[in-house]
Amino acid sequence: MPKAGIIYNDVKPIAGRVAIELKDKLTAAGWDVCVTSSIGGILGYSNPDSPVCHTPIDGLTPPGFDSDMEFAVVLGGDGTVLAASRQVAPCGIPLLTVNTGHMGFLTETFLNQLPQALEQTMAGEYEIEERAMLTVKVFRGEAVLWEALCLNEMVLHREPLTSMCHFEIAIGRHAAVDIAADGVIVSTPTGSTAYSLSAGGPVITPGVPVLQLVPICPHSLASRALVFPDTESVNIYPVNIPRLVMVVDGNGGCYVLPEDRVYMERSQYSVRFIRLQPPEFFRILREKLGWGLPHIAKPTSVELP
């Protein structure tokens, strides 16, 4: 019996309703179906009384989800896709992402197209697009305090974000550099269209094997976004701030003290997205972000000189 999964955003009533309908349809077609909420991929938010909410990377996989699963349907927006990615990436399960949210930059299809998309997926008529992920860890000495998989970005800043921070950042074996800024972002190519884009970083197409470091509001004309090979690891040391907060994929993180070290490297795991048509990244940029559209309207009703 073939096996499939469903991951849905239980905060959205429509996603819950569609999950039930989808399970019934797959079960009737002879599939073994496992259903879970994307809340299992939420990392948990730290607070001063509980500065570290640590769930090991492999501990987020839902019961019943394993490498024997042929695919999983994700019902939600981009946040749900990010959470689902952390849940299933260690198992290598392909994800059919269905937008029930707003922008849906990471999603493949919409609810009104789900019946056709499901039939195509069940028949195996799709391509797999792999997206690189980061492994993010916080060390105190040699002990790992916290770890997580990251599809978009890691952000390290002061809480509240009101004053300058100093960081010593070492990329690979290169000499460490000192950056003064409100915070720093380390992102994957997938995350280049998220927070790092708003902070002035470049858009990077998903297949390029690089990472990028983006200072947030740097206090130097020389501190700009840096793109480097994803074979290089990154170590970040807070210098002069009593406590920083780290956020991964806009989700929970942990507090980072001056004696801690934030370590990042390309993960051994990657997200496997189901693409029902050949991936066309520039089309998504045009549709979602308006990239390449004319910046001056030329109405035909007005005679131009």
Side-chain angles (χ1 to χ4, degrees):
M1 180 181 293
K3 187 176 181 180
I6 300 172
I7 302 173
Y8 69 99
N9 184 343
D10 58 3
V11 176
K12 299 178 183 285
I14 187 171
R17 184 172 69 251
V18 173
I20 295 173
E21 297 171 354
L22 190 57
K23 179 183 179 182
D24 292 342
K25 183 174 182 178
L26 286 168
T27 301
W31 287 69
D32 179 19
V33 184
C34 297
V35 182
T36 190
S37 164
S38 62
I39 196 172
I42 301 299
L43 297 173
Y45 290 89
S46 300
N47 58 64
D49 296 325
S50 180
V52 179
C53 298
H54 182 209
T55 301
I57 288 173
D58 295 338
L60 294 178
T61 304
F65 283 68
D66 53 40
S67 57
D68 294 331
M69 189 169 281
E70 296 196 17
F71 65 88
V73 180
V74 180
L75 301 167
D78 289 333
T80 306
V81 175
L82 292 170
S85 299
R86 286 189 290 271
Q87 289 174 285
V88 305
C91 302
I93 301 171
L95 296 178
L96 174 63
T97 53
V98 183
N99 186 22
T100 66
H102 300 288
M103 178 175 286
F105 197 91
L106 296 175
T107 57
E108 175 67 9
T109 190
F110 297 89
L111 277 179
N112 62 350
Q113 301 168 338
L114 179 55
Q116 179 182 353
L118 183 63
E119 292 297 328
Q120 190 174 338
T121 302
M122 293 168 63
E125 299 172 354
Y126 57 81
E127 297 182 17
I128 294 292
E129 181 186 21
E130 294 198 5
R131 296 286 186 95
M133 302 186 80
L134 281 171
T135 294
V136 183
K137 296 183 178 182
V138 177
F139 285 88
R140 183 166 298 165
E142 298 300 319
V144 177
L145 298 183
W146 189 89
E147 63 180 347
L149 281 178
C150 168
L151 177 58
N152 267 358
E153 75 278 299
M154 183 286 311
V155 183
L156 188 62
H157 62 79
R158 186 168 181 176
E159 187 186 46
L161 189 60
T162 55
S163 63
M164 194 68 61
C165 307
H166 286 263
F167 308 91
E168 284 188 0
I169 302 176
I171 297 176
R173 296 183 179 181
H174 302 286
V177 296
D178 184 279
I179 291 180
D182 285 351
V184 292
I185 303 169
V186 177
S187 85
T188 66
T190 299
S192 71
T193 52
Y195 193 178
S196 65
L197 177 66
S198 300
V203 173
I204 301 173
T205 55
V208 181
V210 297
L211 302 174
Q212 67 171 317
L213 169 71
V214 182
I216 303 172
C217 300
H219 194 236
S220 170
L221 294 176
S223 294
R224 291 295 178 262
L226 174 68
V227 178
F228 54 94
D230 64 7
T231 54
E232 304 273 21
S233 61
V234 182
N235 282 286
I236 301 179
Y237 305 85
V239 176
N240 67 337
I241 297 297
R243 185 177 67 203
L244 297 175
V245 65
M246 183 174 65
V247 179
V248 170
D249 286 344
N251 188 220
C254 73
Y255 284 95
V256 179
L257 302 182
E259 60 264 32
D260 297 338
R261 170 173 60 97
V262 178
Y263 174 82
M264 284 152 287
E265 65 179 356
R266 177 169 177 168
S267 175
Q268 61 178 313
Y269 305 124
S270 60
V271 184
R272 306 179 71 218
F273 287 129
I274 289 175
R275 300 306 185 201
L276 303 175
Q277 54 186 340
E280 221 301 296
F281 183 66
F282 290 168
R283 174 182 59 81
I284 298 173
L285 287 183
R286 287 193 298 271
E287 292 178 355
K288 304 294 185 180
L289 298 180
W291 181 80
L293 296 180
H295 66 285
I296 300 177
K298 299 179 178 65
T300 57
S301 61
V302 177
E303 184 177 349
L304 298 177

